[in-house]
Amino acid sequence: MTIATDLIQPDRGQEAIAIHLVNTDSFDEFAKGLSGPQRTALTAQKFKGGGYEVGIVPDGESWFAVGGVADPAELSSWCLAKLAEVLPEGTYRVAGRQPGPAMFGWQTAQYEFTRYHKNDDAEGPRVLLTEDVAKIDLCVAEAQASALVADLVNTPAEDMGPAALEAEAERIAKDHKADLEVIRGDALETGYPMVHAVGRAAARNHAPRLIHFTWGDKGDPEIAIVGKGVCFDSGGLSMKTGRGMLLMKKDMGGGAHALALSELIMKAGLKVRLHCIVPAVENAVAGNAFRPGDVLNSRKGLTVEISNTDAEGRLILGDALALASEQEPELIIDFATLTGAARVAVGPDLPALFTRRDQTAEQLIAAGRDHDDEPWRLPLWDPYADYLKSQIADTDNSHSNGFAGASVAASFLNKFVDDGLDWAHFDTFAWRPTAKPGRAKGGAALGLRAAFHMLRGRYG
């Protein structure tokens, strides 16, 4: 894990550097209480109280920090993130208030992906104190979950293939005494034919598999968390361009979200019977690759005509969602880096959300808004399923008219979830193309906190 676990600590009155928070409206009044040299120091740093501005103020033989925020009385997850990025190693305390939700961004601001390259010039840990001791464990767990998604997504496909995803699931299951089952080989071909078909062209060390672990008391409400685990996507025989493949190590981002969310659920001790399901494959090119025009069987019993082998994520999710439905859960949530159309619609920062029930959508959106991780709902509209009609099979896996790509993909998935079940689908990007305070460029958890806090509201 490339984020420390002790960046938030209880405030017991120990020595710490003060952080004063101001905005452009309150800065002038704050500055009146400073000495002339202190005001001069802030002027030299061009500090005026704007968002994410940071100032260092001498105070005798010591110093304190000043941070610009939108509203010092209402902090978001990211209000202290810039301070955590640029202040020197040390222990800090926010003057006059508790850091509250900003504890999350304080931690994620110090995330680094160091598997292949260590920054020898990096600052040491910046520790933040809080009197809200009861909130520390959960806040740390959320930051660790976010970092886990980033670590898994940032790791190149050669080192994060299906076997590596399985190893991470095994680690999580062992740590939390969950029961792990992994289906591969002949059992996969028989029981999960679409997962097998998509992954069968990969090298033996990246052979496909279905990862499933369960946790919790059997009498508690059943929920299923499902994640697309395409560890690399060449597009198959409908091959992507070289540029199009460049970020395809992140195509297992849905699986990373499912694993991280499941571990967060277990750490929080939610009263659920949890099923975590990740179909893990590499969509490769070889003589045994599945082809455009093939008709695949599925675990659900539906036959699927393949018009595009680059629409493979929905195939493996179809089998996984069929398995999830067999558990008769109260709720299924899936995460997938499913369509470029979702990014065209809502951009890289907003996960597209599809649900069968309005109440579930409202709860997820509210939880996301409250924790700075808001999804944006798109329509799961039945008439779009007509775009997937096939003349020779129960359904096609893709459509060619170019319309409503994210909704059509969601409509495909909808066919594999049993009627009547509560289901939510996140079409997430799992990647941040540009760094922001507290949010590094690269692998990113988008929709994770929305889903967790919605579940915590239902089952906490």
Side-chain angles (χ1 to χ4, degrees):
M1 193 70 67
T2 47
I3 185 172
T5 59
D6 58 354
L7 300 177
I8 307 295
Q9 296 184 14
D11 191 342
R12 299 188 175 92
Q14 61 267 54
E15 185 176 343
I17 300 164
I19 296 173
H20 296 269
L21 300 179
V22 299
N23 60 12
T24 53
D25 294 332
S26 64
F27 174 61
D28 288 344
E29 188 64 28
F30 171 78
K32 290 178 182 178
L34 302 179
S35 68
Q38 289 175 328
R39 288 194 294 272
T40 299
L42 286 176
T43 300
Q45 296 170 71
K46 295 182 172 57
F47 185 93
K48 298 179 181 178
Y52 298 131
E53 290 183 3
V54 176
I56 301 294
V57 181
D59 188 20
E61 295 183 359
S62 186
W63 59 276
F64 60 85
V66 186
V69 298
D71 183 356
E74 294 288 338
L75 301 185
S76 75
S77 298
W78 317 118
C79 283
L80 301 181
K82 189 66 176 180
L83 288 147
E85 288 176 0
V86 303
L87 290 175
E89 178 179 356
T91 300
Y92 295 87
R93 174 188 292 115
V94 179
R97 62 155 298 153
Q98 297 307 307
M103 291 188 293
F104 178 79
W106 181 274
Q107 297 172 88
T108 59
Q110 298 181 60
Y111 170 83
E112 286 187 287
F113 182 62
T114 57
R115 177 164 179 168
Y116 304 99
H117 173 71
K118 186 174 177 61
N119 181 7
D120 294 329
D121 297 325
E123 285 285 350
R126 282 76 78 198
V127 173
L128 184 65
L129 303 180
T130 180
E131 295 176 5
D132 294 329
V133 177
K135 297 179 180 179
I136 293 176
D137 286 348
L138 183 59
C139 185
V140 170
E142 286 185 52
Q144 293 294 304
S146 178
L148 175 60
V149 172
D151 279 349
L152 296 179
V153 172
N154 284 330
T155 303
E158 183 60 22
D159 295 328
M160 190 49 63
L165 270 188
E166 177 186 335
E168 190 60 36
E170 184 177 15
R171 191 272 303 169
I172 292 170
K174 183 177 180 181
D175 286 352
H176 300 281
K177 297 180 172 58
D179 296 319
L180 174 67
E181 180 184 21
V182 181
I183 298 94
R184 55 171 71 82
D186 292 343
L188 186 73
E189 183 174 5
T190 301
Y192 304 89
M194 293 198 295
V195 178
H196 173 265
V198 172
R200 71 193 184 199
R204 289 182 65 183
N205 63 323
H206 292 311
R209 64 208 69 199
L210 189 288
I211 300 163
H212 178 199
F213 65 75
T214 56
W215 172 88
D217 295 335
K218 291 184 178 179
D220 286 336
E222 304 260 355
I223 67 168
I225 308 298
V226 181
K228 171 188 167 185
V230 177
C231 296
F232 187 78
D233 182 19
S234 68
L237 294 178
S238 305
M239 190 176 292
K240 297 178 184 290
T241 65
R243 184 177 181 83
M245 286 187 222
L246 191 58
L247 282 182
M248 284 302 100
K249 68 178 183 179
K250 77 171 187 66
D251 214 20
M252 39 60 66
H257 279 72
L259 293 174
L261 176 58
S262 296
E263 184 168 35
L264 194 49
I265 288 167
M266 293 186 286
K267 283 183 177 180
L270 299 192
K271 301 298 289 182
V272 296
R273 174 70 170 170
L274 169 69
H275 296 266
C276 177
I277 302 170
V278 178
V281 303
E282 178 179 345
N283 187 19
V285 178
N288 62 338
F290 75 118
R291 312 165 190 83
D294 284 353
V295 175
L296 304 182
N297 291 315
S298 69
R299 183 175 183 84
K300 182 78 171 177
L302 298 174
T303 55
V304 181
E305 182 181 6
I306 304 302
S307 60
N308 185 353
T309 66
D310 196 20
E312 83 300 328
R314 64 196 69 182
L315 299 174
I316 68 170
L317 280 174
D319 276 351
L321 290 169
L323 171 63
S325 296
E326 292 164 15
Q327 317 308 317
E328 299 182 354
E330 284 191 4
L331 174 67
I332 300 173
I333 299 177
D334 82 72
F335 292 85
T337 53
L338 204 64
T339 67
R343 307 287 65 83
V344 173
V346 297
D349 295 339
L350 289 170
L353 172 66
F354 300 84
T355 70
R356 286 176 166 178
R357 300 182 186 176
D358 291 343
Q359 182 184 33
T360 298
E362 290 162 3
Q363 290 174 347
L364 286 165
I365 291 167
R369 186 179 297 124
D370 289 344
H371 295 86
D372 302 300
D373 188 29
E374 186 174 351
W376 198 270
R377 192 181 187 187
L378 294 181
L380 184 64
W381 200 48
D382 288 342
Y384 285 157
D386 290 345
Y387 292 169
L388 294 169
K389 285 183 176 178
S390 166
Q391 293 184 341
I392 63 171
D394 294 322
T395 184
D396 204 312
N397 80 318
S398 187
H399 70 301
S400 59
N401 64 26
F403 296 139
S407 289
V408 174
S411 294
F412 179 89
L413 299 181
N414 191 45
K415 298 173 185 288
F416 294 87
V417 179
D418 283 358
D419 292 342
L421 292 179
D422 191 4
W423 168 57
H425 161 56
F426 283 89
D427 191 335
T428 187
F429 195 37
W431 189 264
R432 184 165 287 107
T434 304
K436 299 179 181 179
R439 291 150 285 181
K441 180 179 178 179
L446 300 168
L448 177 73
R449 298 180 80 203
F452 171 67
H453 285 283
M454 178 269 203
L455 292 170
R456 188 166 172 250
R458 283 196 184 185
Y459 304 111

